[in-house]
Amino acid sequence: GENVEQHPSTLSVQEGDSAVIKCTYSDSASNYFPWYKQELGKRPQLIIDIRSNVGEKKDQRIAVTLNKTAKHFSLHITETQPEDSAVYFCAAIFYSGGYQKVTFGTGTKLQVIP
Amino acid sequence: DGGITQSPKYLFRKEGQNVTLSCEQNLNHDAMYWYRQDPGQGLRLIYYSQIVNDFQKGDIAEGYSVSREKKESFPLTVTSAQKNPTAFYLCASSIGQGVPYEQYFGPGTRLTVT
């Protein structure tokens, strides 16, 4: 089955600096890669996603890049703010046999220091 | 925060008792999922369902059971056979129509078994 590795597990940055979180996946069938943000005690919420026919996608301070050949994708947050502090999860998804197969990474706890 | 709801928010049970967690969605989504999240851990898939009256085991199904009698509802029963049931349980739904789409998460139920 699919395996998703996410690094680093924790990340501390100064406010205003950039943060980068990386994920690698194993199954080339995966073709959809969402990123979720989970604040303490809350539900995960989608912040950005990318499909396999696209190499990069941006939304204001957030961007995601995908390298299909190397099977890795990354989340980039620029000009970090204290409210960016949360746990971030990546996921790799594909459709097989009528079912959506979802595999999550283990999460990255981001701390933005004011 | 509408669309997918879980109840109750907090649940306390004695060891040896079965307990059922509710999950309801009004998004007209076909696919529904149950995840377990332990402190500092990622999301582990318990069960998923693509259509009514059909469901599949995820990575950690032992000690859990589900039903999908209605499109809107996907209750999870934590049985006494589950050895470490104390955790945060998240339900999610997705469009699920042949192309991967994001998952929408409910607010979660925190189960404590003593």
Side-chain angles (χ1 to χ4, degrees), chain B residues 9 11 21 35-39 44 46 64 84-90 109-113:
Chain B
K9 188 172 181 179
L11 191 53
L21 282 58
Y35 292 94
R36 170 182 172 139
Q37 189 173 35
D38 294 284
R44 292 189 290 169
I46 304 172
Y64 299 97
N84 296 298
T86 295
F88 188 49
Y89 290 87
L90 285 160
T109 292
R110 192 167 298 279
L111 173 64
T112 302
V113 177

Side-chain angles (χ1 to χ4, degrees), chain B residues 17-96:
Chain B
Q17 293 179 335
N18 291 356
V19 60
T20 298
L21 282 58
S22 167
C23 177
E24 303 278 334
Q25 55 99 359
N26 62 3
L27 300 167
N28 199 32
H29 285 172
D30 290 311
M32 296 187 75
Y33 308 79
W34 274 104
Y35 292 94
R36 170 182 172 139
Q37 189 173 35
D38 294 284
Q41 302 294 312
L43 300 165
R44 292 189 290 169
L45 182 64
I46 304 172
Y47 268 98
Y48 59 104
S49 169
Q50 189 64 39
I51 55 173
V52 173
N53 293 324
D54 177 74
F55 45 83
Q56 302 292 316
K57 292 182 179 180
D59 301 318
I60 56 165
E62 186 175 347
Y64 299 97
S65 66
V66 293
S67 63
R68 187 88 186 275
E69 296 176 1
K70 298 186 301 182
K71 187 175 184 178
E72 304 79 22
S73 179
F74 191 41
L76 173 74
T77 297
V78 184
T79 74
S80 56
Q82 168 50 232
K83 299 199 184 315
N84 296 298
T86 295
F88 188 49
Y89 290 87
L90 285 160
C91 179
S93 70
S94 180
I95 293 176

Side-chain angles (χ1 to χ4, degrees), chain A residues 45-64:
Chain A
Q45 293 195 296
L46 181 78
I47 55 171
I48 195 166
D49 57 8
I50 191 166
R51 296 192 182 272
S52 59
N53 58 346
V54 176
E56 183 176 1
K57 184 176 179 180
K58 287 184 179 180
D59 183 3
Q60 299 182 351
R61 297 186 297 109
I62 295 173
V64 57

Side-chain angles (χ1 to χ4, degrees), chain A residues 2 23-29 33 66-73:
Chain A
E2 174 65 282
C23 287
T24 59
Y25 61 99
S26 59
D27 197 328
S28 57
F33 307 93
L66 171 65
N67 183 327
K68 284 190 298 183
T69 303
K71 295 195 186 71
H72 68 71
F73 55 111

Side-chain angles (χ1 to χ4, degrees), chain A residues 4-7 9 87-90 104-108, chain B residues 40-43:
Chain A
V4 176
E5 294 189 0
Q6 183 172 345
H7 298 283
S9 56
V87 178
Y88 292 81
F89 292 97
C90 64
F104 280 91
T106 50
T108 296
Chain B
Q41 302 294 312
L43 300 165

Side-chain angles (χ1 to χ4, degrees), chain A residues 31-32 36 38 41-46 49 51 89 93-95 98-102 104-106, chain B residues 1 4 33 35 37 42-43 48 50 54 56 90 94 96-103 105-107:
Chain A
N31 56 5
Y32 175 60
Y36 291 87
Q38 186 180 26
K42 301 286 184 65
R43 73 184 85 191
Q45 293 195 296
L46 181 78
D49 57 8
R51 296 192 182 272
F89 292 97
I93 304 176
F94 65 95
Y95 235 89
Y99 295 96
Q100 180 165 280
K101 307 287 188 181
V102 184
F104 280 91
T106 50
Chain B
D1 279 353
I4 182 165
Y33 308 79
Y35 292 94
Q37 189 173 35
L43 300 165
Y48 59 104
Q50 189 64 39
D54 177 74
Q56 302 292 316
L90 285 160
S94 180
Q97 291 179 354
V99 177
Y101 279 96
E102 70 172 288
Q103 295 180 305
F105 286 87

Side-chain angles (χ1 to χ4, degrees), chain A residues 75-92:
Chain A
L75 177 70
H76 305 254
I77 305 174
T78 59
E79 300 172 19
T80 53
Q81 301 168 3
E83 51 265 38
D84 294 328
S85 295
V87 178
Y88 292 81
F89 292 97
C90 64

